[in-house]
Amino acid sequence: MTADAARPPARPGTRSAARERLLGTASALFYAEGVRAVGVDRVVTEAAVTRATFYRHFTGKEALVVAYLDAVDAGVRERAGELPDAPDDVAAWLRRLTAEIGDELCRPGFRGCAFINAAAEYPDAASPVRVAVRRHREWLQDAATRALARTGHPDPRAAGSRWMALRDGAMVGAYLGDVDDARAALRAGVDDLLTGR
């Protein structure tokens, strides 16, 4: 019996060095090469763990994909921070969030939005992967909508939808076309939203 087999299964969500190595390896591979293109065996090999270790932390590949998306979501939420109350502060918050997205477009190895990419590979809207994608996107659009409401925008719901479309368009446009054009269009669009145009 191996040492891995002798250990009891980890509780879901338990943090360990092996789990973090698996998740870090999978995240890099999934983003760079696509979720469907990368199998569990490759993740296990590159993370230098056993299959038993993998299955102690994840019920299967889909659970690993959800954990990858949840980690990306947590990073975005952490960088965004709490939404301020004052109109000037919340406008600055939305501009900062937008600028961070613009900076992401210029990052070496940028391949578009992790959530859009994953959704394209999982067409079943009821799958746990699509649920994770939807959870992130709903939070992000809601945050933009609440920010625009606090700035006094006359139609924050429509403006939040427009902000999300600008963000999505910039993500796809930067990956498939000119990064500088995509970033400039994103910033100009958000400036229009914040001035009520």
Side-chain angles (χ1 to χ4, degrees):
M1 180 187 299
T2 67
D4 282 333
R7 289 191 198 112
R11 286 177 291 124
T14 300
R15 299 284 182 220
S16 74
R19 183 188 188 282
E20 294 308 306
R21 198 161 60 249
L22 279 162
L23 184 54
T25 301
S27 295
L29 291 171
F30 289 162
Y31 187 74
E33 299 180 23
V35 173
R36 296 278 190 197
V38 177
V40 168
D41 287 340
R42 174 130 179 248
V43 173
V44 164
T45 299
E46 294 204 16
V49 300
T50 64
R51 284 183 70 83
T53 298
F54 173 84
Y55 285 110
R56 190 167 55 252
H57 294 288
F58 301 100
T59 56
K61 182 177 174 182
E62 192 169 71
L64 179 61
V65 176
V66 170
Y68 151 63
L69 293 173
D70 285 347
V72 175
D73 172 70
V76 173
R77 291 179 193 238
E78 184 179 335
R79 287 189 303 278
E82 291 298 316
L83 191 61
D85 290 319
D88 288 346
D89 293 343
V90 80
W93 178 91
L94 189 58
R95 280 194 169 96
R96 180 180 54 77
L97 179 62
T98 301
E100 286 181 10
I101 292 167
D103 292 344
E104 184 181 349
L105 307 178
C106 300
R107 191 181 73 228
F110 178 74
R111 282 194 66 250
C113 170
F115 298 94
I116 293 172
N117 294 348
E121 296 193 63
Y122 282 83
D124 179 1
S127 76
V129 171
R130 287 291 292 274
V131 170
V133 169
R134 190 164 47 254
R135 185 170 51 240
H136 172 75
R137 291 178 58 78
E138 286 173 355
W139 167 79
L140 188 56
Q141 184 168 332
D142 180 66
T145 300
R146 287 185 293 119
L148 288 156
R150 290 182 190 179
T151 67
H153 194 284
D155 190 353
R157 192 173 189 80
S161 293
R162 186 173 165 206
W163 182 89
M164 196 69 177
L166 286 164
R167 177 252 183 219
D168 289 349
M171 287 279 183
V172 174
Y175 180 50
L176 299 177
D178 186 275
V179 173
D180 293 330
D181 286 349
R183 184 162 59 167
L186 174 63
R187 287 182 175 167
V190 172
D191 283 343
D192 287 350
L193 286 174
L194 287 170
T195 56
R197 285 188 264 166

